[in-house]
Amino acid sequence: MELVKLGPFELPPIGLGCMNLSSGYGQASAEARERLLPEALEQGYRLFDSAAIYGHGDSECLIGRQLKPFRDQFVLASKGGLFRGDDGAPQVNGRPEVLRRECEKSLQRLDTEVIDLYYLHRLDPQVPVEESVGALGELVREGKIQAIGLSEVCAETIRRGHREFEISAVQSEYSLWSRTPERAVLPTCAELGITFVPFAPLGRGFLAGSATDLSGFDDGDIRLGIARPRFEPDNFATNLKLLEPLQQLADELGCSKAQLSLAWLLAGSEQPLIPIPGTCRLDHMAENFEAAQLQLTQAQCQLLDQAINDERVAGARYSEPVMASIDSERD
C-alpha cells in the first residue's frame, strides 16, 4: 500500500474518524466501543481522528484508554476551538488562551504527552486566524503538538494561517455528494503542500447505502439535526435515485458502494489526501480500509463524477444557520 505524506508522517491512504463511537449517529454498541479501535489498529489504520467535542470528550477518553499501550504505532489527531460549554451548547472559541487550555484537557483525556496533529476545529469569526494559528505554533514549539491543521476553512483562511505557521493538514467534508473543497481549497492545498483530509467521505452513510430508512435514525443523530436538509423526505427521495449508478458500477467491480466512493476520492486526487470514514461496525471498518486496494480507471471516475455531484443532490449539507457560520462556505 502506497503511503501518503502528512506533515512529518507517512500514513496509509485511509484513516479512521472516531466520532461515531461517541456521538453523531446514535448509540454505539458496547461491542463496538470495546473492540473497534484496537481491531482498526490491527487492520492497518494508522491515523485516528478525534475532537474535544465528540461525546463531550468521550471519544478522546476512549482512544486514550484503549490505544495507550500502542501509542508509538499510530498518528493521533484531535481538534480544539469547538467544544460544549457548561450549559451543553456548542461554543466556537479560537482565542489563544482558550486553545491552550483546551489542548491541555485533550492531552489529559487522550492520556498522552503529545498530540501528533491538532486542528483548529472551527474558525472563530471574532479572532483572526493568525492569532489562533500562532497559539498552536507555540504549542508546537513547546512539544505539546507536532503538527497543525485547520478544519472547515476557505482558501483565503488557509493562506493566512499558513503564512503564520506551517499548516500540515486541512479537513473538510468532501465526497461524491459534497464538492465544496473543489472550488478553491483543493488547489490551494496542492499549491502549499498541505494534505487534505476529507471527513464524512461516505455522505454520512448515504453513499454506503446504510442510510436508506430515515425511521431508523436515533434521537441525537446528526442527520436529524444540523445535517438534516439532504435527509428531509422529499430531498431524500430524490437523492436515493443517485445510488443507482453507484450500485451498478460497484456490482460490475465486485465491491461495495462504500469502497467505490472512497476509491473515487483517492483516484481523483492529484495531491496528498487521506479520507477518514467513521463507523460503529467492525465489518464496515475493515471494508473501508480495503478500499485503498481498488483501482479505478479515468472513465469510471468520470462516470461517478457525472452521476453524483452538488448539482444533482437535493438539499444543502447543513441547515441554513450552520451553513452561514462555516468559513469554508465563503469559497
Side-chain angles (χ1 to χ4, degrees):
M1 182 179 295
E2 185 174 350
L3 300 180
V4 177
K5 182 174 174 56
L6 190 163
F9 314 108
E10 290 191 342
L11 297 162
I14 293 179
L16 184 69
C18 298
M19 181 179 78
N20 301 51
L21 292 173
S22 300
S23 62
Y25 297 93
Q27 183 69 37
S29 69
E31 178 189 28
R33 286 179 57 83
E34 181 68 24
R35 295 178 52 192
L36 193 138
L37 293 176
E39 293 195 17
L41 187 66
E42 184 176 349
Q43 177 74 31
Y45 283 90
R46 291 297 178 266
L47 175 62
F48 290 77
D49 183 278
S50 187
I53 199 171
Y54 296 165
H56 298 259
D58 176 74
S59 172
E60 291 181 323
C61 290
L62 196 62
I63 292 173
R65 184 168 63 252
Q66 295 190 350
L67 298 185
K68 181 179 174 59
F70 317 103
R71 183 63 187 86
D72 61 343
Q73 298 181 29
F74 66 94
V75 169
L76 174 58
S78 197
K79 313 177 197 72
L82 174 63
F83 54 92
R84 295 193 182 276
D86 294 337
D87 61 355
Q91 297 181 6
V92 175
N93 195 321
R95 298 200 311 272
E97 65 274 17
V98 172
L99 291 176
R100 174 176 290 275
R101 181 191 72 202
E102 293 302 309
C103 181
E104 293 285 358
K105 290 181 180 179
S106 288
L107 285 166
Q108 293 176 9
R109 288 190 292 263
L110 291 162
D111 197 7
T112 187
E113 295 181 355
V114 60
I115 299 172
D116 300 315
L117 173 62
Y118 195 64
Y119 290 88
L120 179 66
H121 201 161
R122 290 292 186 273
L123 179 69
D124 185 339
Q126 306 302 318
V127 180
V129 68
E130 291 85 353
E131 292 186 19
S132 298
V133 171
L136 298 181
E138 287 297 319
L139 294 173
V140 172
R141 284 186 277 267
E142 294 172 15
K144 294 183 178 180
I145 65 178
Q146 290 199 64
I148 296 174
L150 298 174
S151 177
E152 289 277 51
V153 291
C154 70
E156 178 192 1
T157 299
I158 295 170
R159 292 184 184 278
R160 288 172 53 192
H162 194 67
R163 285 195 292 267
E164 180 68 26
F165 199 97
E166 180 181 2
I167 303 300
S168 296
V170 167
Q171 180 173 140
S172 280
E173 182 174 353
Y174 184 44
S175 68
L176 278 164
W177 84 340
S178 293
R179 304 292 192 88
T180 304
E182 293 176 355
R183 301 174 191 169
V185 165
L186 289 176
T188 299
C189 287
E191 176 189 339
L192 299 178
I194 298 171
T195 301
F196 186 74
V197 179
F199 73 77
L202 299 178
R204 306 192 184 282
F206 175 80
L207 296 171
S210 59
T212 57
D213 182 4
L214 302 183
S215 64
F217 294 169
D218 295 335
D219 291 341
D221 193 303
I222 193 172
R223 294 165 293 190
L224 297 179
I226 62 173
R228 185 180 181 92
R230 291 182 175 178
F231 294 92
E232 290 284 5
D234 289 346
N235 288 341
F236 193 68
T238 298
N239 292 333
L240 279 176
K241 299 175 184 177
L242 301 177
L243 292 179
E244 295 174 6
L246 187 68
Q247 184 66 68
Q248 182 177 349
L249 183 55
D251 290 342
E252 292 176 7
L253 296 175
C255 66
S256 69
K257 291 190 293 292
Q259 288 175 324
L260 185 55
S261 300
L262 292 170
W264 174 85
L265 279 171
L266 298 177
S269 174
E270 296 181 357
Q271 75 253 21
L273 182 151
I274 306 177
I276 49 169
T279 183
C280 292
R281 288 183 46 171
L282 298 168
D283 56 343
H284 288 173
M285 175 271 292
E287 175 185 303
N288 292 342
F289 192 75
E290 293 168 357
Q293 307 293 339
L294 183 60
Q295 302 295 317
L296 300 184
T297 66
Q298 184 176 0
Q300 290 165 341
C301 289
Q302 290 177 343
L303 184 154
L304 294 173
D305 190 64
Q306 295 169 5
I308 308 175
N309 55 61
D310 281 343
E311 294 182 358
R312 304 197 65 181
V313 173
R317 67 189 183 99
Y318 283 130
S319 62
E320 287 187 15
V322 176
M323 289 289 281
S325 72
I326 297 179
D327 186 64
S328 59
E329 294 303 318
R330 292 173 53 207
D331 283 331

